[in-house]
Amino acid sequence: MSNTPESTSKQQHPDALDAIIIGAGFAGLYSVHNLRDKLGLRVKAFEGGGDVGGTWYWNRYPGARCDIESHHYSYSFSEELQQEWSWSERFPAQPEILRYLNHVADRFDLRKDIQLNTRIISAQFDEKSCQWVVETDDGCTHRARFFISGAGVLSTPSMPNIKGLDSFAGETYLTAHWPEEKVDFSGKRVGVIGTGASGIQVITEIAKEAGHLTVFQRTPNYAAPIRNRPMDAEIERQIKENYAQIREDSRNSFLGIPYPGTLPSAMEVSAEKRRERYEEAYAAGGFQLFAGTFADLITNQESNDTAAEFLREKIRERVNDPVTAEMLTPKTHAYATKRPPLETGYYETYNRDNVTLVDVLDTPIEEVTAQGIRVGDTMHELDVIVFATGFDAMTGPLLSINPKSEQVSLTEHWADGPRTHLGLTVHGLPNFFTITGPQSPAVLYNMPLAIEDHIDWLSDCIAYMGENGYTRVEATAEAEKNWGELTAEFAKPTLFDKTDSWYMGANIPGKPRVFLVFVSGAQEYRRICAEEVAQGYPGFKLN
Ligand code: NA7
């Protein structure tokens, strides 16, 4: 998207709006519905993509699939929607999630309040009118009392700074901005950079089609089987009969997925019992190994080592060539301190004759040339390069807009890392809400439920303002300071800060290295948010 050219005269948009919303993914769509149809506000969402879907519009690379079960990774706000929609697989693939979000947009008549192909490029709070003044890249200016970000947490892709990138003569693709038309890999020499969740999914699929696939791996990951399968009719019936209870259980579980049987500590059971639990979880699939075995895997190094060693053994069992197996075995970071990816046949991909793994940790990529990628003295000749190199997570999408008021600009306010109250609001930026913002559970909480919780909370806050004659809400400096201390205190006993990951902002050069997530689980977070409301919003100045 281009910025507004200097020569374009700014048009004041005529619509009278109460709320401007960034994006039309899971967060933007439910915001339009809730604010418009429940609160009766005049709203407009601006979406940079050519259609609704957010993450699931952009990340349409081969193999893209959600690693949370489909009935969990869906909206809970409408019982009719839950009952009428049928998921075809246990874990939904990207095209099915995109169909679902399109269905939601149509079913709740949301499209008329969404402007596609339009990106918000700046936002300034005007104290006098108590309104946000928002510029879009079509040259228009819009005003509204409330400004709500559904910009997403993994929506600003990160491209590595590699010498000669522009000189490559072949095709290049980014998993996070994949084209709509099918990309033909047949017979081609393809290189993939990146072995995170996206890389692992795309590598497995491209290997089946490419003439030769070369994977450039910097850090090996602890991937475990997803165990996808078609949705069973009887299971679907049981889910639909028990949705209310399932949602209740989800919202009271750490990750927002109610896996039963989690034990307190891996060190409190015998080695045999531990092995049994890991084997069961590995066989069951999904996030069960991470979230359904032992509660102390992310706080106790010794416990974590047992899960890590279990997964290392599995990798060695599954990869035929011992040298390749060693390269694929993570040794430098604790399990789950980088987001653990899920896979279907990923490790077996390296048993294929047409796949080569190249380590670029000890010898990094030297340069890209017209012919391919040079690592040390070796030139890997390629027809296609796929970048699966991650995102400027959580803060990136908000900082690229840089909302401002007379007192605060977000880039300055967050120069040393995000500062928020509840991961939802920012001191100095009144009437601005960040759905699944940094310092909220966000990426460590089943995203559709995390999104609904935030939108329900901010809707209640706006309704409360209306009932009590307030027009302006702003987090206090003290509440913001306390929240920062609390999130840091919760993160302290965990192993996350020992690893350079996007959770820590460490994948982006120059980004402050701080833990970006509220880590005490959905249940505790929801309790704190409810308390804020019950006590009459003590962390906010309302006037
Ligand atoms: P991730 O998990 O951030 O993975 C990015 C990958 O790209 C990771 O393996 C990086 O290695 C690698 N990378 C990044 N820059 C380079 C360079 N310069 N050279 C080699 N390798 C590089 O992003 P994903 O899109 O896979 O997943 C993001 C989230 O989306 C995921 O966690 C789910 O929540 C959904 P590194 O590990 O930094 O050494």
Side-chain angles (χ1 to χ4, degrees):
M1 284 295 155
S2 61
N3 282 357
T4 312
E6 281 300 306
S7 56
T8 308
S9 61
K10 301 271 184 319
Q11 299 164 29
Q12 288 287 331
H13 202 277
D15 287 358
L17 295 173
D18 298 307
I20 291 172
I21 297 158
I22 311 173
F26 266 99
L29 292 177
Y30 183 51
S31 296
V32 171
H33 172 61
N34 217 35
L35 296 178
R36 185 191 71 186
D37 300 336
K38 289 202 183 140
L39 296 189
L41 301 189
R42 295 161 301 179
V43 303
K44 190 158 194 171
F46 294 96
E47 165 58 55
D51 209 338
V52 301
T55 289
W56 301 102
Y57 172 84
W58 294 107
N59 288 263
R60 51 178 78 216
Y61 58 84
R65 183 180 296 282
C66 180
D67 38 23
I68 292 178
E69 286 83 348
S70 49
H71 65 286
H72 293 311
Y73 194 82
S74 56
Y75 289 120
S76 69
F77 71 85
S78 161
E79 179 59 13
E80 294 78 16
L81 175 64
Q82 293 188 146
Q83 292 301 327
E84 76 197 12
W85 183 264
S86 286
W87 293 103
S88 69
E89 293 180 280
R90 181 182 178 205
F91 293 92
Q94 173 272 333
E96 189 165 25
I97 306 174
L98 194 57
R99 276 200 301 282
Y100 171 75
L101 291 172
N102 273 274
H103 169 74
V104 171
D106 293 332
R107 191 196 190 285
F108 296 97
D109 198 15
L110 305 178
R111 289 186 196 275
K112 64 181 185 218
D113 294 307
I114 298 167
Q115 187 172 322
L116 300 171
N117 296 306
T118 310
R119 209 165 267 280
I120 291 174
I121 52 172
S122 77
Q124 171 93 36
F125 186 71
D126 175 36
E127 284 288 350
K128 240 198 207 146
S129 61
C130 190
Q131 281 191 323
W132 280 92
V133 182
V134 169
E135 273 187 296
T136 43
D137 66 355
D138 57 356
C140 289
T141 303
H142 314 260
R143 303 177 78 99
R145 173 143 302 158
F146 297 103
F147 184 39
I148 294 165
S149 173
V153 293
L154 294 159
S155 53
T156 302
S158 161
M159 275 294 279
N161 186 12
I162 300 174
K163 187 174 133 199
L165 259 189
D166 293 338
S167 61
F168 184 57
E171 305 157 56
T172 55
Y173 299 98
L174 190 56
T175 48
H177 270 185
W178 201 262
E180 283 191 35
E181 58 280 7
K182 179 179 163 29
V183 177
D184 181 16
F185 293 108
S186 51
K188 293 182 182 164
R189 298 164 303 174
V190 183
V192 176
I193 304 177
T195 52
S198 308
I200 281 175
Q201 290 183 336
V202 85
I203 286 163
T204 310
E205 290 309 306
I206 294 176
K208 295 173 189 166
E209 201 188 328
H212 194 89
L213 172 65
T214 308
V215 176
F216 298 89
Q217 172 190 269
R218 194 161 63 184
T219 311
N221 245 312
Y222 296 96
I226 189 167
R227 311 277 183 209
N228 186 38
R229 53 180 171 261
M231 178 64 84
D232 175 274
E234 175 54 20
I235 290 179
E236 185 184 9
R237 193 191 61 71
Q238 287 171 18
I239 290 167
K240 287 191 172 176
E241 231 174 71
N242 293 296
Y243 249 131
Q245 188 62 49
I246 291 170
R247 301 303 196 174
E248 171 75 15
D249 293 345
S250 296
R251 289 195 149 98
N252 285 310
S253 67
F254 174 77
L255 209 61
I257 319 169
Y259 294 135
T262 309
L263 300 171
S265 172
M267 303 323 293
E268 283 175 12
V269 298
S270 66
E272 293 72 33
K273 176 76 189 158
R274 199 161 51 226
R275 176 93 203 177
E276 201 181 293
R277 283 297 294 124
Y278 288 148
E279 289 287 5
E280 280 167 9
Y282 198 79
F287 277 125
Q288 304 219 22
L289 195 89
F290 170 45
T293 54
F294 302 103
D296 67 344
L297 294 185
I298 54 164
T299 51
N300 182 336
Q301 184 67 58
E302 233 186 319
S303 294
N304 190 291
D305 289 344
T306 65
E309 199 43 43
F310 173 80
L311 285 164
R312 292 183 192 119
E313 276 177 37
K314 291 290 181 193
I315 296 168
R316 290 173 186 132
E317 274 170 28
R318 290 173 60 184
V319 179
N320 296 344
D321 172 38
V323 176
T324 308
E326 272 322 288
M327 284 166 72
L328 286 165
T329 301
K331 298 178 192 93
T332 55
H333 67 282
Y335 169 61
T337 52
K338 279 178 187 272
R339 163 62 153 68
L342 300 180
E343 50 82 34
T344 305
Y346 174 65
Y347 291 110
E348 288 74 14
T349 297
Y350 294 93
N351 298 336
R352 300 175 64 106
D353 292 338
N354 68 334
V355 177
T356 308
L357 181 63
V358 176
D359 170 44
V360 295
L361 182 64
D362 292 337
T363 314
I365 295 172
E366 179 89 23
E367 62 172 340
V368 174
T369 69
Q371 287 75 37
I373 294 178
R374 183 188 306 283
V375 179
D377 294 337
T378 311
M379 183 67 206
H380 299 271
E381 293 198 358
L382 301 167
D383 304 307
V384 184
I385 301 177
V386 173
F387 294 89
T389 42
F391 299 87
D392 184 352
M394 306 203 73
T395 53
L398 293 165
L399 290 172
S400 68
I401 294 171
N402 188 21
K404 290 178 187 158
S405 67
E406 279 171 18
Q407 303 83 44
V408 159
S409 102
L410 197 67
T411 44
E412 285 168 22
H413 196 60
W414 286 6
D416 297 325
R419 291 155 63 188
T420 75
H421 181 39
L422 304 175
L424 241 176
T425 56
V426 180
H427 174 64
L429 298 177
N431 297 357
F432 173 52
F433 297 95
T434 55
I435 300 165
T436 61
Q439 298 185 332
S440 80
V443 289
L444 287 175
Y445 179 18
N446 179 7
M447 199 54 89
L449 300 190
I451 284 168
E452 284 183 336
D453 286 359
H454 267 182
I455 296 167
D456 291 344
W457 192 96
L458 71 89
S459 299
D460 288 348
C461 178
I462 292 173
Y464 175 86
M465 291 170 71
E467 284 154 19
N468 293 281
Y470 298 124
T471 54
R472 194 179 186 282
V473 62
E474 181 186 345
T476 65
E478 193 193 358
E480 193 175 79
K481 181 171 164 289
N482 292 343
W483 189 252
E485 285 169 5
L486 190 72
T487 52
E489 189 186 311
F490 285 147
K492 219 177 200 168
T494 72
L495 304 172
F496 284 107
D497 81 343
K498 293 187 168 48
T499 298
D500 285 341
S501 68
W502 61 255
Y503 290 137
M504 295 294 305
N507 63 326
I508 303 294
K511 189 166 171 169
R513 195 182 185 287
V514 291
F515 190 61
L516 294 167
V517 193
F518 174 94
V519 74
S520 269
Q523 194 176 17
E524 175 65 359
Y525 178 74
R526 286 169 50 78
R527 189 194 63 72
I528 297 171
C529 287
E531 203 172 277
E532 179 80 42
V533 178
Q535 291 179 2
Y537 299 94
F540 293 88
K541 187 171 169 220
L542 286 143
N543 49 25

